[in-house]
């Protein structure tokens, strides 16, 4: 069964450093998403992406964040200058069809630890 | 602001029992709701969804009920198994692509 994959599984970085989290969505999906989950809290929407553009973004997704689809398979989330409060699980998701009314398939997540 | 929330943070049941996990939502404009299961160390896994023009939907061993009058969503799991132990999140479609998740309920199934 096709699945969303994410690398690395765990990333440790120092405050102020840039990190890039990588995702490979399901191959025939057109819509891509990033969510984060701070330990013990709920999953929070960050951004959605379609046709090489951001479709929606939340208040969390400030200028420190950016997304890119550099080739036909990868979807990346960059945090330009990490802060302690960026420590969280980051989940990538993809869906075949438009909007939130169609099933979003989630990857296993990348645990980001900022020290 | 408007949010999706859960009443019970932890639910403990015996194997074979039926489980009911509840969720309250406050965004009356939401038209699509989903239940996700999250096992330790994994991403959320889709269980079942329901649109606002329905009040009940059944899957394999799971049923989702939607009561729009009181803005309440529930997930019923029949004959709960130890493998059902996980955190369950309800989520609502609050924008074109945005899913807003509730806080989660931990389901613990004892053999």
């Amino acid at each position: 069964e096709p699945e969303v994959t994410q690398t690395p599984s765990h990333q440790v970085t120092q405050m102020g450093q840039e990190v890039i989290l990588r995702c490979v969505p399901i191959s025939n999906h057109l819509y891509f998403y990033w969510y984060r989950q701070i330990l013990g809290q709920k999953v929070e929407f960050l951004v959605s992406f379609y046709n090489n553009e951001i479709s929606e973004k939340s208040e969390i997704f400030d200028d420190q964040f950016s997304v890119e689809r550099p080739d036909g398979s990868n979807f990346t989330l960059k945090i330009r200058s990490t802060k302690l409060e960026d420590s969280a699980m980051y989940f990538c998701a993809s869906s075949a069809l438009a909007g939130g009314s169609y099933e979003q398939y989630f990857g296993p997540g990348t645990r980001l630890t900022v020290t | 602001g408007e949010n999706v929330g859960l009443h019970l943070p932890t639910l403990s049941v015996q194997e074979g029992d039926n489980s009911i996990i509840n969720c309250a939502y406050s965004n009356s404009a939401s038209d699509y709701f989903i239940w996700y299961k999250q096992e330790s160390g994994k991403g959320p896994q889709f269980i079942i969804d329901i649109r606002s023009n329905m009040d009940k939907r059944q899957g394999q061993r799971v049923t989702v009920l939607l009561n729009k009058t009181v803005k309440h969503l529930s997930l019923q799991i029949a004959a709960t198994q130890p493998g059902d132990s996980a955190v369950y999140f309800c989520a609502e479609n609050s924008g074109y692509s945005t899913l807003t998740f509730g806080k989660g309920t931990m389901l613990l199934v004892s053999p």
Side-chain angles (χ1 to χ4, degrees), chain B residues 27-82:
Chain B
N27 188 345
S28 56
S30 293
D31 61 358
Y32 178 67
F33 305 88
I34 315 101
W35 280 101
Y36 281 93
K37 172 186 180 183
Q38 187 177 26
E39 296 173 285
S40 181
K42 297 183 179 179
Q45 178 186 359
F46 175 93
I47 301 173
I48 192 168
D49 59 1
I50 189 168
R51 299 188 186 281
S52 59
N53 61 351
M54 303 170 68
D55 53 21
K56 181 178 179 179
R57 188 155 189 241
Q58 287 185 292
Q60 189 176 20
R61 281 201 307 119
V62 294
T63 301
V64 56
L65 299 177
L66 175 62
N67 185 331
K68 294 182 288 293
T69 302
V70 295
K71 297 177 187 171
H72 185 266
L73 192 69
S74 68
L75 175 70
Q76 299 178 359
I77 304 173
T80 315
Q81 302 167 359

Side-chain angles (χ1 to χ4, degrees), chain A residues 4-8 18-25 32-35 46-50 52-54 61 64-80 90-93 110:
Chain A
V4 176
T5 59
Q6 291 185 242
T7 55
E18 174 184 287
V19 293
I20 298 176
L21 309 182
R22 303 182 190 278
C23 168
V24 178
F32 315 115
Y33 315 85
W34 283 102
Y35 293 82
L46 293 178
V47 66
S48 61
F49 191 86
Y50 169 69
N52 285 318
E53 290 184 343
I54 290 174
F61 194 87
Q64 293 298 312
F65 291 87
S66 62
V67 289
E68 191 179 25
R69 187 155 164 81
D71 53 43
S73 60
N74 289 282
F75 179 52
T76 62
L77 174 69
K78 181 192 289 186
I79 308 175
R80 207 178 332 272
Y90 288 81
F91 293 106
C92 174
T110 292

Side-chain angles (χ1 to χ4, degrees), chain A residues 56 100, chain B residues 27 29-32 91-101:
Chain A
E56 286 185 286
Chain B
N27 188 345
S30 293
D31 61 358
Y32 178 67
E92 62 179 327
N93 176 212
S94 52
Y96 179 69
S97 53
T98 303
L99 286 179
T100 299
F101 282 77

